[in-house]
């Protein structure tokens, strides 16, 4: 059952990156839209993510609950040493979710709309940035459990060149996924062209930032290239991701619809497989100590058993219902 | 500010904020379902308008409840890591089930809010009911988790180690039933009175009387039934507390000395140093009866509890009195309303009854906050009753006071915005829903 639980943890992280990422990306796209195109962008985005945004963010909750029930020492280590970025991320989540809802449901449309939009956009950029920092910090080996000063325990556990570069990279990935997602939701050639261009910009941005991440890894001594290219499975994943990126680019250039979303989703999946494969079963790397592994951190056998059963049963309810929701509301306008 | 106090205040603030939104998100869907059902059966468009107006409120509250809940799931670790390290695997079961229930709720809400005229009308209605049912399930589950902190179960504790963990037994701890039942009824009463009161105010002001009268009736019936049941369930809770947490009961009642035929103390200023209560009204034998069903029974007093294990008396006592007082008042209003419906229909036309409902708008929520203060402060100094002290659970990170200030300002501004938005919703009713 331990493996079922780990699989659910992995899958909910992946789904959060994809669905939550596209959701954050919606705000990032709005952020990078010109003033003229903003209202239009807002409208399309709203129609696309309005019905699904709460569901998108549930994946984060699922991952957190799996962590604190199943692997408590990982959850508490993160909570202690990543307190500050987690708190900032939470502020971002609160600000973004409420601003998005308030903007739509405010019965009077006046200058408050601008305030909501501002908050929504800034928080949409800030939150994935800190998510990236947290993810980067967790693997970078910067958490020092024997630190004896405030700064080295609670600040340099996450503030470093590598985590910050991962933060920027995450923003680009979110924007990229949102743009790809939105292309399928547009109903006229002009909008489609606009989002296709956006998608291309974000791809270029992500590639540039990926290079920065590699440089940062070298500077900070994070064995990133070993994780990504140190074993056959990771190499295969990375090459597939590279090839499919070229394919995606060609499809975008021809403005053909094609399986854009599937390719983008697959790329993120491949990237996550490549990184986690070499890492497994370690989730967090510590400074001067062994990493925290999922196998060592697991809660008691009955806990893992009932958690696994709850997750299996829960997904039996959730997945069909969720599929029908996504099916009913995305692409609705095109039918 | 001391970091430990800051952590406790931040936890209390976050929960006190979350619970208001959670209760509304949990109960309003049922009001909507009733009104929606009436619309589907009678075709009266006023009911459709009520349903739509309410559903906008629900969307606002639900989103705020969901994000504040997400905060909480992180805050448990941010503030109490040493507690979560041990407690997570034991009391996590209800949280993982809550995750499922909540996920279903979020999906169903997507269908419901955006599904008008898109789906079969009964399918659409059912999705609304599912929102309510899964919300209720989340509420019950999360309170079961809190009940475990009051009544730890499902593990053996030896030499500081937690052995033989059984999460199912932990979920069905001794307190889960009385707490969950009482909480759900409280949520119905609080939400019902808040909604009914707002509509009553609009009727009094002669605004869209047809719309607001119908809306008022639906909410008022829910509120009044719950208000009648609440003292019964509260009495059950009190008897339960007397058995499992005598220290909490003693603090609630400001009962300092163990004695038989213990009096019930109403009001008064408890003084922890001298162990006396000034200016109180005493009902002889009352406490013995309420706690154990017998006017002569012995009731454990605070003197039987070691000093370092005693909860703060004044806060607990005051909060308890406040909850019970508010509960009795709402119960009275409920009785009057039912008399009006069955015997004195003329009362319904008179302003005073509606005014009583307007007064009740905040009372249910005040009682909810007071009740939680009783439960949480009355459990002190324990975070896990009898096993782990709150002070030993707090995060080692210094400077929690600053996050507390930041979160306080966020919660304050969010509350203000939500009130502002609701005000605008109500103000816009004539323009949005009154087209002939
Ligand atoms: C509308 C709100 C409301 C009202 C009118 C009442 N309560 Fe209450 N009470 C709550 C809302 C609440 C609560 C917020 O829901 C609590 C906090 C924890 C819980 O499970 O319910 C609670 C807790 C709580 C507890 C502590 C349970 C524990 O720690 O396990 C007791 C003994 C009572 N209540 C008793 C009463 C009595 C005798 C009432 C008589 C009228 C009453 N309550 C009215
Ligand atoms: C599942 C539900 C809950 C859990 C898991 C929970 C957990 C906690 C924890 C860990 C603390 C900090 C330790 C302590 O001071 O006791 C706390 C404190 C507190 N909580 Fe709860 N709580 C829950 C529900 C609530 C709710 C709904 C309220 C609503 C108002 C509330 C009010 C408080 C208060 C007032 C304190 C501070 C107690 C003090 O300062 O003495 N709690 N709770
Ligand atoms: C319909 C009712 C409710 C809704 C929609 C709701 C919403 C949420 C959400 C979205 C979370 C995030 C974590 C998760 O889902 O597991 C959460 C967590 C939490 N809620 Fe609520 N909630 C509800 C009822 C309540 C009630 C009645 C209480 C207090 C007694 C409460 C206390 C908590 C606490 C302590 C957490 C953090 C623990 C966790 O990780 O699950 N909630 N809530």
């Amino acid at each position: 059952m331990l493996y079922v639980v780990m699989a659910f943890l992995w899958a909910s992280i992946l789904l959060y990156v994809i669905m939550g990422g596209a959701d954050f990306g919606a705000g990032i796209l709005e952020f990078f839209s010109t003033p003229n195109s903003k209202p239009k962008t807002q409208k399309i985005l709203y129609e696309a993510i309005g019905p699904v945004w709460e569901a998108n963010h549930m994946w984060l909750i699922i991952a957190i609950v799996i962590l604190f029930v199943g692997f408590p020492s990982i959850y508490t280590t993160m909570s202690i040493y990543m307190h500050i970025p987690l708190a900032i991320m939470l502020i971002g989540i609160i600000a973004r979710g409420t601003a998005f809802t308030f903007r739509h449901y405010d019965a009077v449309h006046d200058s408050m709309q601008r305030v909501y939009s501002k908050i929504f956009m800034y928080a949409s950029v800030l939150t994935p940035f800190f998510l990236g920092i947290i993810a980067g910090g967790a693997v970078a080996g910067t958490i020092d459990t024997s630190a004896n000063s405030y700064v080295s325990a609670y600040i340099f556990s996450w503030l470093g060149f590598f985590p910050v570069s991962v933060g920027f990279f995450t923003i680009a990935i979110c924007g990229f996924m949102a743009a790809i997602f939105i292309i399928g939701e547009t109903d006229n050639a002009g909008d489609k062209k606009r989002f296709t261009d956006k998608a291309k910009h974000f791809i270029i941005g992500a590639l540039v930032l990926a290079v920065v991440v590699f440089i940062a890894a070298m500077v900070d001594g994070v064995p990133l290239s070993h994780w990504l290219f140190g074993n056959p499975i990771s190499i295969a994943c990375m090459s597939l991701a590279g090839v499919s990126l070229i394919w995606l680019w060609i499809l975008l250039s021809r403005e053909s619809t094609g399986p854009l979303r599937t390719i983008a989703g697959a790329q993120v999946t491949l990237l996550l497989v490549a990184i986690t494969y070499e890492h497994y079963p370690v989730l967090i790397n510590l400074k001067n100590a062994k990493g925290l592994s999922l196998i060592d951190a697991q809660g008691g056998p009955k806990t893992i058993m009932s958690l696994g059963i709850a997750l299996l049963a829960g997904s039996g309810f959730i997945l069909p219902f969720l599929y029908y929701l996504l099916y009913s509301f995305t692409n609705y306008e095109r039918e | 500010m001391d970091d430990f106090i800051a952590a406790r205040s931040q936890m209390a603030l976050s929960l006190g904020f979350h619970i208001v939104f959670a209760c509304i998100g949990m109960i309003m869907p049922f009001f909507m379902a009733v009104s929606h059902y009436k619309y589907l059966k009678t075709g009266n468009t006023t009911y459709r308008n009520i349903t739509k107006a309410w559903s906008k409120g629900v969307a606002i509250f639900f989103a705020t409840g969901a994000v504040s809940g997400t905060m909480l799931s992180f805050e448990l670790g941010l503030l109490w890591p040493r507690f979560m390290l041990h407690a997570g695997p034991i009391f996590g079961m209800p949280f993982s089930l809550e995750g499922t229930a909540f996920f279903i709720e979020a999906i169903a809400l997507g269908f419901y809010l955006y599904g008008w005229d898109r789906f079969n009308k009964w399918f659409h209605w059912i999705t609304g009911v599912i929102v309510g049912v899964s919300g209720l399930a989340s509420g019950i589950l999360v309170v079961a988790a809190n009940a475990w902190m009051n009544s730890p179960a499902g593990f053996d504790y030896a030499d500081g180690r937690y052995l033989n963990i059984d999460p199912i037994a932990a979920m069905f701890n001794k307190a889960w039933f009385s707490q969950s039942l009482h909480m759900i009824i409280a949520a119905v009463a609080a939400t019902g009175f808040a909604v009914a009161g707002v509509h009553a105010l609009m009727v009094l002001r002669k605004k869209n009387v047809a719309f607001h009268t119908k809306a008022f009736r639906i909410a008022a019936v829910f509120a009044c039934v719950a208000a009648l049941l609440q003292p019964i369930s509260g009495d059950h809770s009190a008897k339960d507390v007397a058995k499992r947490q005598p220290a909490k009961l003693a603090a609630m009642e400001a009962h300092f000395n163990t004695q038989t035929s213990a009096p019930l103390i109403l009001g008064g200023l408890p003084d922890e140093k001298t162990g006396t209560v000034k200016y109180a009204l005493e009902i002889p034998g009352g406490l013995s009866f309420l706690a154990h069903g017998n006017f002569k029974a012995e009731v454990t007093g605070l003197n039987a509890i070691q000093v370092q294990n005693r909860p703060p008396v004044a806060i607990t006592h005051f909060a308890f009195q406040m909850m019970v007082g508010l509960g009795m008042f709402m119960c009275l209003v409920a009785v009057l309303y039912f008399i009006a419906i069955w015997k004195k229909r003329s009362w319904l036309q008179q302003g005073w009854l509606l005014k009583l409902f307007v007064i009740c708008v905040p009372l249910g929520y005040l009682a909810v906050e007071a009740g939680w203060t009783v439960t949480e402060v009355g459990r002190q100094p324990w975070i896990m009753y009898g096993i782990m002290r709150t002070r030993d659970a707090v995060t080692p990170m210094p400077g929690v006071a600053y996050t507390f200030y930041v979160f306080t300002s966020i919660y304050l501004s969010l509350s203000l915005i939500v009130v502002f938005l609701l005000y605008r919703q109500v103000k816009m009713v004539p323009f949005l829903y009154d087209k002939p």
Side-chain angles (χ1 to χ4, degrees):
Chain A
M1 208 41 109
L2 177 64
Y3 295 94
V4 172
V5 175
M6 283 200 245
F8 268 98
L9 178 62
W10 192 84
S12 38
I13 294 176
L14 175 68
L15 286 167
Y16 186 59
V17 175
I18 295 181
M19 314 256 242
D23 208 288
F24 287 124
I28 298 173
L29 283 183
E30 208 180 305
F31 189 85
F32 286 108
S33 303
T34 53
N36 299 335
S37 62
K38 255 191 187 120
K40 194 75 200 290
T41 310
Q42 256 175 32
K43 187 168 167 294
I44 299 173
L45 292 176
Y46 184 76
E47 276 163 15
I49 66 173
V52 294
W53 80 266
E54 315 232 17
N56 288 343
H57 289 274
M58 286 312 293
W59 298 111
L60 176 66
I61 306 292
I62 302 286
I64 283 301
V65 172
I66 295 179
L67 270 187
F68 82 54
V69 178
F71 311 98
S73 59
I74 294 184
Y75 170 78
T76 50
T77 309
M78 293 278 282
S79 305
I80 294 176
Y81 295 99
M82 299 276 176
H83 193 118
I84 296 171
L86 280 170
I88 299 176
M89 179 198 82
L90 287 176
I91 294 172
I93 289 181
I94 275 233
R96 186 180 180 280
T98 48
F100 181 73
T101 311
F102 294 170
R103 174 165 84 183
H104 184 64
Y105 284 102
D106 194 340
V108 185
H109 280 248
D110 58 9
S111 56
M112 280 301 283
Q113 292 286 327
R114 293 234 307 282
V115 179
Y116 303 136
S117 294
K118 275 245 158 54
I119 298 177
F120 174 67
M121 287 186 300
Y122 282 101
S124 295
V125 177
L126 180 86
T127 318
F129 178 60
F130 275 90
L131 271 169
I133 290 192
I134 294 164
V139 297
T142 42
I143 295 182
D144 185 355
T145 47
S146 51
N148 47 20
S149 78
Y150 184 89
V151 177
S152 52
Y154 304 112
I155 304 280
F156 290 127
S157 51
W158 54 274
L159 188 63
F161 188 17
F162 178 71
V164 170
S165 65
V166 176
F168 282 112
F169 180 67
T170 312
I171 299 180
I173 293 284
C174 291
F176 158 66
M177 273 181 317
I180 295 286
F181 175 75
I182 298 294
I183 293 175
E185 301 291 316
T186 51
D187 53 5
N188 65 58
D191 288 336
K192 194 168 163 189
K193 172 96 179 50
R194 216 149 47 77
F195 287 114
T196 306
D197 289 345
K198 277 263 150 33
K200 287 180 167 177
H201 296 165
F202 277 109
I203 293 179
I204 297 172
L207 286 175
V208 172
L209 287 166
V211 174
V212 177
V213 170
F214 268 99
I215 297 173
M218 268 190 289
V219 174
D220 282 2
V222 178
L224 182 64
S225 45
H226 173 69
W227 295 336
L228 290 178
F229 303 106
N231 69 75
I233 301 269
S234 300
I235 295 178
C237 287
M238 292 307 288
S239 349
L240 268 177
V243 173
S244 63
L245 189 61
I246 298 172
W247 182 21
L248 187 70
W249 189 271
I250 295 174
L251 285 180
L252 284 175
S253 303
R254 290 206 194 131
E255 292 187 26
S256 82
T257 31
L260 296 178
R261 291 180 189 179
T262 316
I263 303 175
Q267 283 169 339
V268 177
T269 316
L270 288 168
L271 201 61
L272 198 66
V273 173
I275 292 186
T276 45
Y277 184 80
E278 177 74 23
H279 242 219
Y280 170 87
V282 172
L283 199 65
I284 299 185
N285 286 311
L286 303 174
K287 198 174 195 164
N288 318 323
K290 241 177 79 206
L292 291 179
S293 109
L294 289 169
I295 295 190
D296 299 338
Q298 62 175 299
K302 275 200 181 162
T303 302
I304 296 291
M305 180 57 89
S306 36
L307 180 60
I309 292 175
L311 289 168
L312 287 171
S315 52
F317 276 110
I318 291 169
L319 293 179
F321 213 29
L322 181 64
Y323 176 77
Y324 188 50
L325 180 76
L326 294 171
Y327 170 82
S328 304
F329 286 104
T330 56
N331 274 334
Y332 178 77
E333 312 303 331
R334 275 203 315 192
E335 280 160 23
Chain B
M1 194 186 223
D2 176 39
D3 281 330
F4 173 56
I5 300 295
R8 282 170 70 177
S9 314
Q10 185 176 330
M11 190 75 202
L13 178 75
S14 312
L15 279 156
F17 182 86
H18 174 71
I19 195 154
V20 174
F21 296 90
C23 286
I24 294 175
M26 165 162 77
I27 302 303
M28 279 298 281
F30 290 103
F31 298 179
M32 277 153 48
V34 170
S35 158
H36 193 170
Y37 180 84
K38 290 199 169 182
Y39 163 63
L40 293 178
K41 279 288 169 195
T42 64
N44 183 339
T45 51
T46 308
Y47 284 116
R48 189 193 61 202
N49 291 343
I50 293 174
T51 314
K52 286 202 173 179
W54 278 346
S55 72
K56 294 198 176 155
V58 166
I60 295 174
F61 281 102
F62 188 82
T64 316
V67 290
S68 58
T70 309
M71 299 266 299
L72 279 171
S73 58
F74 282 92
E75 274 182 305
L76 284 174
L78 290 178
L79 300 173
W80 315 106
R82 293 168 190 165
F83 164 68
M84 291 306 285
L85 181 62
H86 300 294
I90 312 176
F91 87 151
M93 197 61 202
F95 286 131
S96 46
L97 294 174
E98 190 216 352
T100 304
F102 188 73
F103 210 139
I104 293 175
E105 192 182 353
I107 298 171
L109 191 73
F111 277 113
Y112 190 74
L113 291 180
Y114 297 84
W116 288 92
D117 309 324
R118 275 191 189 183
F119 300 105
N120 170 301
K121 60 183 185 179
W122 288 107
F123 173 79
H124 180 225
W125 181 77
I126 285 283
T127 59
V129 176
I130 294 176
V131 175
V133 172
S134 44
L136 211 56
S138 324
I140 294 175
L141 287 163
V142 82
V143 176
N146 176 270
W148 178 84
M149 297 165 61
N150 282 321
S151 176
F155 62 98
D156 296 321
Y157 184 67
D159 314 328
R161 303 205 312 141
Y162 298 74
L163 307 165
N164 302 327
I165 292 173
D166 179 353
I168 307 289
M171 185 158 87
F172 295 108
N173 57 68
K174 286 208 192 80
W176 85 272
F177 181 75
S178 65
Q179 269 196 249
S180 299
L181 177 71
H182 195 64
M183 177 70 237
I184 298 302
I185 301 176
V188 178
T191 310
F193 275 111
V195 174
V198 170
H199 291 291
L201 182 66
M202 289 304 160
V203 175
L204 284 170
R205 293 206 179 148
K206 305 253 180 306
K207 298 234 171 86
N208 309 82
V209 175
F211 178 98
H212 288 296
T213 309
K214 287 195 168 57
F216 168 78
R217 291 220 177 115
I218 295 174
V221 170
F222 273 95
C224 291
V225 172
L228 290 180
L229 295 176
Q230 191 67 336
I232 304 173
S233 140
D235 177 55
H236 178 252
S237 293
K239 292 195 162 59
D240 214 49
V241 172
K243 265 187 263 150
R244 61 167 208 266
Q245 288 175 294
K248 182 191 274 182
L249 186 87
M252 273 157 48
E253 306 286 0
H255 179 57
F256 285 100
N257 299 307
T258 304
Q259 68 181 99
T260 52
S261 301
L264 183 67
I265 297 178
L266 294 182
L269 293 176
D271 182 343
E272 289 175 50
K273 289 211 189 64
T274 57
T276 52
V277 187
K278 284 199 203 98
Y279 319 116
L281 189 71
E282 296 197 359
I283 302 176
L287 181 57
S288 292
F289 179 71
L290 284 181
H292 300 291
N294 173 349
F295 285 102
K296 299 250 148 45
E298 182 178 274
V299 182
T300 315
L302 284 164
N303 64 344
I305 317 279
Q306 285 178 319
V307 177
Q308 74 272 24
N309 290 347
R310 288 185 197 163
V313 180
I315 299 180
T316 317
H317 179 64
F318 179 70
F320 184 64
Q321 303 270 313
M322 181 165 146
M323 167 176 66
V324 175
L326 293 170
M328 289 307 177
F329 182 75
M330 287 186 280
C331 191
L332 177 77
V333 174
V335 170
L336 291 174
Y337 184 68
F338 284 120
I339 295 179
I341 291 183
W342 281 314
K343 290 268 183 283
K344 306 261 185 197
R345 300 216 50 111
S346 61
W347 287 4
L348 293 173
Q349 260 64 54
Q350 292 165 10
W352 62 268
L353 189 61
L354 289 176
K355 280 187 192 139
L356 276 180
F357 274 92
V358 177
I359 294 174
C360 285
V361 168
L363 300 191
Y365 282 100
L366 287 178
V368 167
E369 301 285 350
W372 276 102
T373 309
V374 174
T375 307
E376 301 291 310
V377 178
R379 189 186 60 233
Q380 300 308 314
W382 304 103
I383 189 166
M384 202 192 297
Y385 186 67
I387 309 262
M388 184 191 278
R389 281 169 197 280
T390 310
R391 189 172 277 284
D392 298 332
V394 71
T395 178
M397 191 189 86
V400 181
Y402 297 99
T403 54
F404 170 61
Y405 300 139
V406 173
F407 282 116
T408 308
S409 49
I410 291 177
Y411 284 130
L412 273 180
S413 29
L414 275 183
S415 317
L416 291 177
I417 299 180
V418 169
V419 171
F420 169 74
L421 285 177
L422 283 190
Y423 169 74
R424 286 188 171 200
Q425 287 287 348
V426 175
K427 203 177 73 176
M428 292 301 281
V429 163
F431 306 103
L432 293 173
Y433 304 109
D434 248 18
K435 292 178 201 103

